[in-house]
């Protein structure tokens, strides 16, 4: 991928022990330390310091819970009906965006091995501590030790008592491989990292790894909730669907990214506003349900014309369905052998309104773009909603195909 994608990544920061660090999704050791198996970790850089602070934070959190450190994604003490251990990501609260990180305590020895590149002495000491809880086997170390109190004998298949950890006695090849690679790098001076950086493609992007730590911390710092727990039930936004524009009152959907707002009704009416300023004119008339944006279609051969929504032409469709999703509004209609779908959304990152029209030919007769004329229009207000001046400006756009010989 081009390097410009790197600078489009949304990377929120938080403060750990007085220093800025990158937040991850699950706050696992894997997310912060796995890249260092093959990539250089430069000191005093954003990536390098985030990895170091992640280890420090994991050590502090485990110390407060009186357990060995090294929490990452792994199998845990729960099995399915076939006796297969279940697997998911575990992290530490305060470092991840996901909720419920404080609900479980599962320590994975391979995560400690990954920390050999960041805190070698502390990692060796922690591995010895893991030996003390019978986490070592002939393959090295078992997959994990589950310290979560609520695990039961029915879940794990092994006797479990409150306050007694359950050793997950299985070995996963990808975790064993990462542990072996981390040990090899620690004993050979990062030999595999040097080999990986010999690739011209890697060397060309090496500067991206040297990104400085923002000083002072960026304004986008976010503090994760240390005690965030999974809510009892997830709140879902229902999907509303209307099969006609002829309702007693217009049903509306509001789409917004916080500054740009779009209102759209089941008949196709509505308006747009930006930071309280009307972009298109809004007229509160429930009887006519006027619209501000319109996309028109015309069949050149038959001369029939209509709009992508019921408004403003009010041409009766053969079929009409409006669906209000949490993130967009879709208007589907069928007029004879032509079916259209108008999707309306607001960009979550930029103050942009997106309207995408899809046209499908359901008949046997061939239709081409040259035989159709599509026109769009919008009544632009560009003032506060109640300001009368410049309230009736109209912009009309037109797309034509010119034929040359």
């Amino acid at each position: 991928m081009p390097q410009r994608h790197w600078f489009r990544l949304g990377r929120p920061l938080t403060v750990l022990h007085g220093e800025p660090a990158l937040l991850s999704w699950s706050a696992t050791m894997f997310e912060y330390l796995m890249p260092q198996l093959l990539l250089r970790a430069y000191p005093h850089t954003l990536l390098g310091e985030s990895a170091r602070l992640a280890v420090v934070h994991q050590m502090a959190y485990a110390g407060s819970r009186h357990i060995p450190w090294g929490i990452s994604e792994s199998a845990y003490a729960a099995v399915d009906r076939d006796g297969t251990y279940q697997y998911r990501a575990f992290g530490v609260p305060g470092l991840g965006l996901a909720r419920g990180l404080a609900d479980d305590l599962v320590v994975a020895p391979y995560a400690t091995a990954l920390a050999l590149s960041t805190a070698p002495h502390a990692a060796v000491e922690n591995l010895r501590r893991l030996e003390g809880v019978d986490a070592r086997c002939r393959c090295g170390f078992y997959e994990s030790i589950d310290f979560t109190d609520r695990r039961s004998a029915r879940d794990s298949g092994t006797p479990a008592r409150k306050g007694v950890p359950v050793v997950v006695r299985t070995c996963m090849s990808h975790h064993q491989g990462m542990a072996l690679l981390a040990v090899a790098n620690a004993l050979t001076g990062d030999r595999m990292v040097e080999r990986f950086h010999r690739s011209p493609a890697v060397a060309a992007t090496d500067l991206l790894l040297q990104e400085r730590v923002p000083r002072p911390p960026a304004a986008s710092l976010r503090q994760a909730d240390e005690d965030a727990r999974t809510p009892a039930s997830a709140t879902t936004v229902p999907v509303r669907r209307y099969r006609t524009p002829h309702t007693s009152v217009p049903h509306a959907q509001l789409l917004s990214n916080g500054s740009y707002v779009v209102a759209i009704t089941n008949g196709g009416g509505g308006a747009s506003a930006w930071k309280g300023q009307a972009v298109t004119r809004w007229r509160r008339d429930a009887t006519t349900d006027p619209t501000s944006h319109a996309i028109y279609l015309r069949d050149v051969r038959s001369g029939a014309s209509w709009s992508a929504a019921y408004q403003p032409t009010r041409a009766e469709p053969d079929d009409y369905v409006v669906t209000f999703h949490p993130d967009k509004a879709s208007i589907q209609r069928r007029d004879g052998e032509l079916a259209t779908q108008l999707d309306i959304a607001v960009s979550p990152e930029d103050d942009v309104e997106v309207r995408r029209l899809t046209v499908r030919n359901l008949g046997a007769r061939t239709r081409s773009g040259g035989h159709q004329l599509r026109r769009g229009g919008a009544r632009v207000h560009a003032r506060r909603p109640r300001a009368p001046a410049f309230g009736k400006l109209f912009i009309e756009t037109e797309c034509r195909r010119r034929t040359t010989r």
Side-chain angles (χ1 to χ4, degrees), residues 8 23-24 26 29 32 46 59 65 70 109 111 126 151 175 199 233 248 260-261 275 279 282 299 330 391:
R8 299 294 185 185
L23 280 169
S24 71
S26 301
M29 283 289 211
Y32 285 92
L46 182 59
M59 294 170 63
R65 308 299 293 268
N126 197 58
R151 305 283 184 229
H175 291 166
S199 168
S233 60
S248 57
Y260 195 99
V261 181
K275 294 184 177 180
V279 176
W282 171 256
D299 190 331
S330 296

Side-chain angles (χ1 to χ4, degrees), residues 1 7 36 67 89 92 105 108 135 142 226 236 257 272 277 290 309 324 327 329 369 387 401:
M1 300 178 70
F7 303 101
Q36 295 186 9
I67 62 172
V92 294
L105 277 178
Y142 285 118
E226 291 283 344
T236 59
N257 60 5
S272 304
Q277 178 172 300
F324 290 152
D327 59 334
R401 176 172 293 183

Side-chain angles (χ1 to χ4, degrees), residues 253-307:
Q253 170 81 328
L254 292 177
L255 304 170
S256 176
N257 60 5
S259 57
Y260 195 99
V261 181
V262 172
I264 185 74
T265 68
N266 58 310
S272 304
W274 177 72
K275 294 184 177 180
Q277 178 172 300
V279 176
T280 59
R281 188 180 182 187
W282 171 256
R283 288 170 290 179
R284 300 180 181 180
D285 190 341
T287 58
T288 60
D289 188 22
T291 184
S292 56
H293 287 86
I295 299 179
Y296 302 93
L297 298 97
R298 182 166 67 94
D299 190 331
V300 175
R301 180 173 296 184
S302 66
S305 61
W306 64 98
S307 51

Side-chain angles (χ1 to χ4, degrees), residues 131-169:
E131 282 186 287
V133 293
D134 297 327
R136 186 172 177 179
C137 63
R138 63 186 182 89
C139 296
F141 285 88
Y142 285 118
E143 171 67 8
S144 66
I145 306 95
D146 196 334
F147 290 88
T148 309
D149 287 339
R150 70 169 180 269
R151 305 283 184 229
S152 65
R154 179 180 60 83
D155 294 330
S156 63
T158 59
R161 300 185 303 274
K162 183 176 179 63
V164 177
V166 177
V167 178
V168 178
R169 299 181 183 275

